[in-house]
Amino acid sequence: MARTKEKLSLEAALPQGQKPTLKTIAQMSGLAVPTVSRALNDAPDIGRDTKLLVRRIADEIGYIPNRAGVRLRTGRTNVVSLVMSTEHDNHTARLISSVAGGLQSTRYHLNVTPYSPRDDFMKPVRYIVETRSADAVILNQIEPEDPRVAYLMDKKVPFATHGRTNWADKHPYYDFDNETFGRHAMETLAERGRKKVVVVAPPIAQSYSQHMLKGLSETAAVHGIEMNVIKGVTSDSNIQSTVEAVRDKLSRGGGYDAVVTASTTAALAATAAIEGLGMNVGDEIDIASKDANGFLKIFRQNILTLPELVGTAGDFLARAVIQAIQHPELPPLQYLEVPERV
């Protein structure tokens, strides 16, 4: 019955062919137009229940604010831009989805800005800043002294990073503790008696690769384990290239008895390479990997995994950039996800 009443209210408030406006929402909700406007703009003096009511009606009737008008009135676009390489890893879809979910009940809209890994990765960030096409930026594939971060800090543009820079104390971020992952992975392999480990590492220029390799190498040294990083492929490489690289490494001998990877894709590739050589994962050789979606344990139960909560990351980053936009005077929101051994 409530749904029928809403439809009748919409028909009364919105003549056929006319686009919904703030006035439409006001008529349907029984609120004043200024109250509706302030609710959509997340004004602190408007109650939570009122905001939820106004946003629900806005979503159901397909209300879309006039971005040009918003920008003229406020100087803002109500857009957050997620800048990502077109060379996607297996986290990409979940990160986009979780950032979008984190923005869903706010006035902000998500815009994904892609760039080719062959291009200057500064280009999309400069474009966003120079055209003022977004109020804030979210970045991933972070480097220790990332020039994009330095540029955004210099321009005083709100942003958050999925990963840490050397200036992480100064900006919002969400990061997975890859150094701890490396330590846990190598400790588990040591307990299983493994002595020679092959690593399919992330791109070495990125912060999380350096963190992970530090954890792995320091723990390997403690336990007297030999560690070798495969050259020519990374955990972001296409699966066929990684299969060939791992198979080539293992087929040359050397007595390798474990593979550590940083992504689901690389773990799948390592499994294919190992089984293609007639070995069984968990018997002659182990695989230890991060697992962002729980898929690996279903695929092969003997793969050693640590979960990474990519969905949590996106939601946190959405909240972090909103605070950076609305309350730049507050300390930046920061979170380090520390994995537990399982």
Side-chain angles (χ1 to χ4, degrees):
M1 181 62 70
R3 177 70 62 177
T4 303
K5 287 182 178 178
E6 277 187 12
K7 287 184 177 179
L8 291 174
S9 298
L10 175 57
E11 290 171 1
L14 189 62
Q16 189 172 3
Q18 184 175 317
K19 291 183 179 180
T21 65
L22 292 177
K23 185 177 179 181
T24 312
I25 300 172
Q27 289 177 310
M28 295 180 68
S29 63
L31 300 168
V33 171
T35 302
V36 170
S37 177
R38 293 180 63 74
L40 288 173
N41 285 295
D42 205 25
D45 60 328
I46 303 297
R48 178 177 178 274
D49 289 346
T50 299
K51 290 177 182 177
L52 290 174
L53 171 64
V54 169
R55 288 171 185 156
R56 180 175 61 80
I57 293 173
D59 288 343
E60 291 191 358
I61 68 175
Y63 170 74
I64 301 174
N66 184 317
R67 297 278 176 83
V70 170
R71 185 165 173 173
L72 284 172
R73 290 194 309 273
T74 67
R76 291 181 176 173
T77 62
N78 290 348
V79 171
V80 170
S81 187
L82 176 58
V83 179
M84 306 190 80
S85 168
T86 54
E87 190 175 66
H88 298 320
D89 61 22
N90 56 293
H91 292 174
T92 299
R94 296 196 70 193
L95 185 61
I96 294 172
S97 176
S98 59
V99 172
L103 296 175
Q104 190 170 21
S105 61
T106 74
R107 69 182 185 226
Y108 296 96
H109 301 267
L110 179 63
N111 176 42
V112 178
T113 304
Y115 66 92
S116 168
R118 294 179 294 278
D119 293 338
D120 177 8
F121 72 170
M122 285 295 301
K123 185 177 178 181
V125 178
R126 288 197 192 98
Y127 176 84
I128 292 166
V129 172
E130 291 170 3
T131 61
R132 295 187 298 163
S133 54
D135 295 334
V137 178
I138 297 175
L139 304 170
N140 72 344
Q141 299 184 338
I142 300 301
E143 298 181 358
E145 296 193 356
D146 201 302
R148 300 170 298 175
V149 171
Y151 175 75
L152 290 168
M153 288 195 298
D154 179 62
K155 296 296 184 180
K156 295 181 170 50
V157 174
F159 71 95
T161 60
H162 188 205
R164 286 169 290 164
T165 68
N166 289 345
W167 317 297
D169 59 317
K170 299 178 181 177
H171 66 78
Y173 68 79
Y174 184 105
D175 198 10
F176 180 85
D177 190 343
N178 287 280
E179 183 175 337
T180 295
F181 161 70
R183 294 185 189 282
H184 286 344
M186 199 61 79
E187 285 167 0
T188 299
L189 293 174
E191 290 170 1
R192 292 176 60 79
R194 304 308 186 182
K195 294 296 182 182
K196 297 191 72 174
V197 178
V198 173
V199 179
V200 183
I204 192 61
Q206 295 178 27
S207 297
Y208 85 105
S209 180
Q210 297 177 29
H211 297 157
M212 174 180 155
L213 291 173
K214 181 175 186 289
L216 287 170
S217 60
E218 289 181 356
T219 309
V222 169
H223 293 284
I225 295 174
E226 180 182 330
M227 187 181 98
N228 190 289
V229 179
I230 289 185
K231 303 294 190 296
V233 295
T234 73
S235 56
D236 289 351
S237 297
N238 70 71
I239 193 166
Q240 188 56 45
S241 297
T242 308
V243 170
E244 292 171 2
V246 174
R247 184 172 58 215
D248 182 63
K249 187 72 174 178
L250 298 179
S251 65
R252 292 188 181 188
Y256 292 106
D257 51 18
V259 179
V260 176
T261 77
S263 72
T264 301
T265 300
L268 295 176
T271 303
I274 288 166
E275 293 180 351
L277 292 171
M279 296 185 287
N280 296 312
V281 175
D283 293 335
E284 300 98 320
I285 189 166
D286 276 322
I287 296 175
S289 179
K290 293 193 294 182
D291 190 8
N293 51 27
F295 172 77
L296 289 177
K297 276 294 185 185
I298 298 172
F299 174 67
R300 293 290 186 276
Q301 189 173 3
N302 289 335
I303 295 177
L304 308 171
T305 63
L306 278 178
E308 181 176 6
L309 305 177
V310 178
T312 302
D315 181 75
F316 184 91
L317 290 168
R319 290 188 284 115
V321 290
I322 289 173
Q323 177 176 292
I325 294 167
Q326 298 181 347
H327 299 288
E329 76 282 0
L330 295 178
L333 289 180
Q334 301 169 338
Y335 189 79
L336 181 63
E337 178 191 336
V338 181
E340 296 182 2
R341 290 183 67 181
V342 293

